[in-house]
Amino acid sequence: MTVASAASAASPWTFHAHPDVWLVNGGLIVGYMLALAYLGPRRVPAGAPVATTGQKIAFFSGAALLWAGADWPMHDLSEHHLFSAHMVQHLLFMLVAPPLLLLGTPAWLLRTLLGTGLRFRVARLLTRPAAALIAFNGMIVFIHWPLVVELQSSSEPGHLAVHVLIVGASLLMWWPVLAPLPELATLSEPGKMFYLFLQSIVPTVPASFLTFASQPLYEPYADAGLWGLDAVTDQMIAGLLMKIGGGLLLWAVIAVLFFRWHSNEEKQEPASVSWEDFERELEVWDMRK
């Protein structure tokens, strides 16, 4: 553990700079702004906005949540003191920030980033529902492996690398649901609901272990604690956050998809046939005869 990390372990309220976080998140925001300013006018029709106000709000909100989750004090709380803070951090990176980033990225910018060659073919493969399902759930299992948890608490580069993995896998997970590019959209509304239901199953396994364990599962948090919480209670809170908080968010999205699909189905239903309509059809048939 570095001197700076040791200081942050002593007190999460002692400011600890994280230049790597500033560099990555600052680069993301600056890159987005430069793309809108210089690439956008050449990619969209004259007079059309390069990004709507809603897209800008969504993107900057997602970037701000990434920054808040990865920087002080959340970083220091989650790395050395509370596994429940660690869980809040990961839920932000999995279920909140990534969909906002996708919603905030205009289609022309995504097409520019993906191109039409190898990058596009790889994206088409990875954003298929089955591939995204495997990638996201594989990531869930991987980040709860004790060696990976220990890496995050002992190495800041390792912590950053795991965060990049989480966000990357989560962007893939949300892609089939949000379908930001029509050419890479494969699921119907019922298909999206079933897909999210499948995504909600695997996280309940580590969440259950965390909730019902009678002893600390991860060595870095065995002697940690804050605000009078012992390690087992803190671990139980983390499990409940993952199971209930994460599950409720996914099911809320499923509910939105259901009501949107139901509304569209009702609009497409033909109007009910009355006796007058039937008589008019008979009259038309008689005239044709």
Side-chain angles (χ1 to χ4, degrees):
M1 183 182 295
T2 65
V3 174
S5 297
S8 67
S11 172
W13 313 122
T14 301
F15 177 74
H16 177 203
H18 299 286
D20 52 346
V21 173
W22 303 346
L23 180 63
V24 172
N25 286 273
L28 178 67
I29 294 171
V30 171
Y32 180 79
M33 294 173 66
L34 290 175
L36 296 190
Y38 296 103
L39 289 179
R42 292 182 289 181
R43 297 292 195 276
V44 300
V50 295
T52 65
T53 300
Q55 286 175 323
K56 294 175 183 177
I57 291 174
F59 188 91
F60 288 124
S61 297
L65 287 171
L66 283 181
W67 202 319
D71 205 355
W72 178 86
M74 180 62 77
H75 178 285
D76 304 86
L77 281 169
S78 66
E79 190 175 68
H80 301 292
H81 295 274
L82 294 174
F83 194 73
S84 53
H86 178 91
M87 185 60 67
V88 170
Q89 186 185 58
H90 285 190
L91 289 176
L92 285 175
F93 295 162
M94 288 188 290
L95 303 180
V96 185
L100 288 173
L101 293 176
L102 285 177
L103 289 171
T105 306
W108 64 262
L109 180 51
L110 286 172
R111 291 189 178 101
T112 301
L113 293 172
L114 296 179
T116 57
L118 178 61
R119 293 196 306 275
F120 180 83
R121 292 194 294 272
V122 171
R124 182 169 56 190
L125 174 65
L126 294 180
T127 57
R128 288 175 179 170
L133 186 76
I134 293 171
F136 182 75
N137 288 288
M139 177 271 294
I140 290 288
V141 174
F142 178 74
I143 65 173
H144 286 91
W145 186 23
L147 288 178
V148 177
V149 175
E150 291 176 14
L151 172 67
Q152 293 178 78
S153 65
S154 61
S155 167
E156 292 207 8
H159 203 169
L160 178 63
V162 172
H163 287 175
V164 171
L165 172 66
I166 293 172
V167 174
S170 300
L171 287 171
L172 292 179
M173 187 277 277
W174 284 105
W175 188 288
V177 178
L178 300 177
L181 290 180
E183 57 267 36
L184 294 180
T186 58
L187 289 178
S188 63
E189 296 298 290
K192 294 176 182 179
M193 289 183 272
F194 182 64
Y195 168 81
L196 285 177
F197 165 72
L198 294 178
Q199 293 286 18
S200 70
I201 296 174
V202 170
T204 62
V205 177
S208 298
F209 279 106
L210 291 168
T211 302
F212 298 109
S214 58
Q215 59 186 8
L217 298 180
Y218 301 114
E219 182 62 29
Y221 298 94
D223 299 320
L226 202 65
W227 302 315
L229 289 176
D230 62 86
V232 174
T233 302
D234 174 47
Q235 189 173 260
M236 179 185 68
I237 294 171
L240 292 174
L241 285 170
M242 185 178 185
K243 184 178 181 66
I244 299 176
L248 284 177
L249 195 150
L250 288 177
W251 279 97
V253 177
I254 291 173
V256 170
L257 291 171
F258 172 79
F259 287 114
R260 186 172 70 182
W261 169 68
H262 180 68
S263 176
N264 291 336
E265 287 293 308
E266 283 191 333
K267 290 177 183 177
Q268 294 173 7
E269 285 182 1
S272 58
V273 179
S274 64
W275 178 253
E276 289 77 11
D277 296 325
F278 182 64
E279 287 184 330
R280 279 195 295 271
E281 289 297 321
L282 289 177
E283 289 174 4
V284 171
W285 179 257
D286 290 336
M287 290 173 64
R288 288 177 179 172
K289 289 174 64 178

